[in-house]
């Protein structure tokens, strides 16, 4: 992993078009150091490599939505009956600028 130092942070800030004072950069460097130490500690946990990474916190195979019944789509004529204004077989909408 690339070592994060003040120059890397200043370059990233410059690319994002903002700047901070030196105290803010030092605080951010301390945060990066804490995160790096925590990541190193996670490498020491037995069995971490054998666990499948979680991509979503909930089981997405279960659906909480209702089961739709199969239906036949409306015909064009049925849809156009509900339109307020029709032109050339299409719904006419007001011009939006």
């Amino acid at each position: 992993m690339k070592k994060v130092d003040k120059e890397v942070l200043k370059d990233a800030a410059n690319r994002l078009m903002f700047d901070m004072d030196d105290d803010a950069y030092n605080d951010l460097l301390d945060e990066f150091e804490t995160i790096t130490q925590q990541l190193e500690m996670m490498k020491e946990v037995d069995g971490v490599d054998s666990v499948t990474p979680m991509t979503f916190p909930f089981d997405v195979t279960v659906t909480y939505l209702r089961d739709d019944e199969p239906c036949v789509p409306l015909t064009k004529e049925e849809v156009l009956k509900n339109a307020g204004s029709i032109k050339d077989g299409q719904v006419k909408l007001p011009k939006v600028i």
Side-chain angles (χ1 to χ4, degrees):
M1 179 169 29
K2 184 177 180 181
K3 178 72 175 157
V4 177
D5 59 9
K6 196 180 233 181
E7 293 306 315
V8 171
L9 293 177
K10 283 189 177 189
D11 181 55
N14 185 33
R15 290 173 188 241
L16 295 171
M17 293 188 255
F18 76 92
D19 196 15
M20 302 183 295
D21 60 10
D22 284 337
D23 291 336
Y25 282 115
N26 291 332
D27 291 343
L28 194 54
L29 279 172
D30 291 342
E31 290 293 324
F32 267 103
E33 183 62 33
T34 302
I35 291 170
T36 304
Q37 290 173 359
Q38 291 172 345
L39 289 173
E40 291 299 320
M41 287 174 50
M42 289 176 65
K43 290 180 183 178
E44 297 172 9
V45 176
D46 291 333
V48 161
D49 295 332
S50 64
V51 176
T52 304
M54 183 170 55
T55 56
F56 195 74
F58 306 108
D59 183 12
V60 293
T61 58
V62 177
T63 178
Y64 299 101
L65 302 175
R66 72 175 197 276
D67 291 330
D68 285 335
E69 297 176 8
C71 64
V72 178
L74 297 174
T75 65
K76 183 177 178 180
E77 291 75 26
E78 291 173 318
V79 172
L80 291 177
K81 284 194 297 188
N82 293 323
S85 179
I86 302 169
K87 181 178 180 182
D88 298 328
Q90 298 178 353
V91 177
K92 183 179 177 185
L93 300 173
K95 188 174 185 179
V96 178
I97 297 178

